[in-house]
């Protein structure tokens, strides 16, 4: 990362845009350090206060941590929560989980440490990715750094849409894996496309095409924007640039063939389609009206496209951005034609870097005073710091109120260690619902039910049965599906026959017993 930053900053000093031709690369180093500090704040505060790393920041962290933990064990990701579903059809891309799992195995780290590290590395890599694209188009270091800061520190439209009042939100790229790691891969491919478009060669086109092809194995919101933008570039470009974009599109399409085959199979699979229509996925649901909360995204996208087209002769970056904004606007409205909603506000994650670059490109045209740029730097850092401190305090209150969910490894470390060491891999545990939601992060066990298990492919009637039985579960209740171990807490342990208990920890208030189906 250090070498990449040095290269980006060194090349940026030869910028063709003004002002600031002689600006030092130190501004990029300083901005990168500030990004790392802001995103490290929750970890530093937690370590200072408790000596421990907070394992979970947001509710959505849990699904990606469970999936990554399963990938680190070499499991399939058909359903990392439930036994008997290992070979279920898969519609969720798993490239990111597999790549992060490789890093975890190489470092011999558990998923909690990996998640903590990536909450810092993701925004740093995204910052550098945006700076690299700015360098390709000749931005001076201060403006390139500003674009990077806007991307990783400014509020996200997508987060404003889904934030739940009272819960810690943190900045967008503090969430583990999605959207941070997906965006890192997306920006790497976007940078390759920008470099190829600026200086087209056959080798660069092939390499960019392979990079874009890999993005097809991340969620649709990234590859759809990227591939549509490349087609748009091919239309607005001429000569070698157009031919290069055609090669990029063709190579990436070939790389996406396995993805396409799987998608066709899933489209014909009724259980997959049933899964996509139910909570919490809620994609492919009927509806031709404008999706809820999408109007600000659409208005900003169209406005940027119009401005970029008007300014296309001022700098090549505007023509480049126009192609992506113009191609993305119809994607935000695709349900009007298809009658299938896909939670289009998630396109924000692919658009955030482009909006930041567009804003900074406009500032470059205005030739604003460096004091204004410095003021924007200060506002971004101040806002982000205040948000992360406030969200850390909110998260600590959530941990105090519901430790079984937010910090299970703090709540019952010895119980988790016993399960990991004394139960077979993939054995099924039923426990209080908050425990089951996160247990597969910390042990190799499956659970009887978890809300995010419903997001994986399975019949809805089975999901409803498991949910219903987990809601009214007591130690004496018969269950429809197999269970190997029962984990109880507090007063429930008193209902268990002492001879059937295989583990008990009075201090943690837990007990485990084994029972045949």
């Amino acid at each position: 990362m250090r070498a990449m930053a040095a290269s980006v900053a060194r090349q940026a000093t030869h910028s063709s845009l003004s002002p600031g031709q002689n600006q030092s690369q130190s501004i990029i180093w300083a901005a990168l350090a500030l990004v790392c500090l802001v995103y490290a704040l929750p970890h530093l505060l937690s370590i200072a206060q408790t000596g421990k790393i907070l394992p979970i920041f947001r509710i959505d962290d849990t699904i990606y941590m469970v999936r990554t933990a399963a990938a680190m064990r070499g499991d399939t990701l058909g359903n990392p929560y439930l036994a008997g579903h290992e070979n279920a059809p898969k519609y969720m891309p798993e490239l990111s989980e597999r790549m992060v799992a490789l890093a975890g195995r190489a470092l011999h780290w558990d998923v909690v440490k990996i998640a903590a590290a990536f909450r810092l590395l993701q925004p740093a890599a995204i910052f550098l990715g945006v700076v690299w694209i700015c360098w390709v188009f000749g931005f001076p270091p201060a403006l390139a750094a500003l674009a990077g800061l806007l991307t990783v520190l400014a509020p996200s439209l997508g987060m404003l849409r889904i934030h739940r009042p009272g819960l810690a939100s943190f900045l967008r790229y503090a969430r583990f894996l999605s959207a941070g790691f997906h965006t890192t891969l997306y920006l790497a491919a976007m940078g390759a496309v920008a470099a190829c478009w600026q200086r087209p060669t056959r080798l660069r086109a092939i390499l960019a095409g392979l990079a874009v092809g890999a993005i097809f194995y991340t969620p649709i919101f990234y590859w759809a924007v990227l591939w549509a933008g490349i087609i748009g570039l091919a239309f607005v470009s001429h000569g070698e640039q157009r031919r290069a974009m055609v090669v990029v599109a063709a190579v990436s399409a070939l790389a996406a063939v396995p993805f396409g085959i799987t998608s066709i199979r899933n489209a014909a699979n009724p259980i997959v389609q049933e899964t996509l229509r139910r909570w919490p996925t809620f994609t492919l649901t009927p509806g031709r009206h404008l999706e809820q909360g999408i109007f600000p995204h659409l208005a900003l996208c169209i406005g940027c496209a119009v401005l970029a087209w008007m300014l296309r002769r001022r700098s090549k970056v505007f023509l480049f951005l126009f192609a992506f904004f113009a191609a993305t606007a119809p994607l935000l409205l695709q349900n009007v034609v298809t009658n299938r909603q896909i939670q289009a506000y998630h396109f924000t994650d692919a658009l955030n870097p482009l909006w930041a670059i567009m804003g900074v490109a406009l500032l470059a045209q205005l030739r604003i005073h460096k004091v204004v740029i410095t003021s924007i730097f200060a506002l971004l850092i101040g806002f982000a710091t205040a948000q992360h401190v406030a969200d850390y305090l909110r998260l600590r209150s959530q941990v105090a109120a519901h430790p079984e969910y937010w910090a299970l490894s703090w709540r019952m470390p010895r119980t988790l260690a016993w399960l990991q060491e004394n139960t077979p891999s993939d054995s099924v545990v039923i426990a209080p619902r908050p425990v089951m939601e996160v247990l597969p992060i910390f042990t190799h066990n499956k659970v009887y039910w978890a809300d995010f298990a419903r997001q994986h492919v399975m019949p809805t009637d089975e999901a409803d049965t498991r949910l219903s039985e987990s809601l009214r579960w007591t130690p004496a209740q018969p269950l429809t599906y197999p269970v190997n171990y029962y984990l109880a807490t507090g007063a429930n342990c008193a209902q268990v026959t002492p001879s059937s208990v295989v583990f008990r920890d009075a201090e943690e208030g837990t007990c485990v017993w084994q029972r045949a189906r």
Side-chain angles (χ1 to χ4, degrees), residues 306-353:
V306 171
L307 275 175
W309 180 255
M310 293 170 61
L311 297 170
R312 68 190 184 279
R313 291 186 176 86
R314 298 271 189 99
S315 170
K316 284 186 177 181
V317 70
F318 289 114
L319 186 60
F320 181 84
L321 291 171
F322 165 78
F324 285 92
F325 289 131
T328 302
L331 296 177
L332 298 173
L333 297 170
Q334 63 80 36
N335 66 294
V336 175
V337 176
T338 65
N339 196 32
R340 291 189 170 192
Q341 301 188 34
I342 59 170
Q343 296 186 350
Y345 65 87
H346 281 108
F347 280 112
T348 301
D349 296 319
L351 289 168
N352 276 340

Side-chain angles (χ1 to χ4, degrees), residues 36-69:
C36 293
L37 179 60
V38 168
Y39 276 85
L41 262 179
H43 298 302
L44 296 175
L45 291 171
S46 179
I47 292 170
Q49 189 172 7
T50 68
K52 302 173 184 177
I53 297 172
L54 279 165
I56 298 168
F57 277 25
R58 292 178 51 83
I59 290 173
D60 287 353
D61 276 351
T62 60
I63 183 173
Y64 297 107
M65 293 179 75
V66 168
R67 287 173 60 83
T68 301

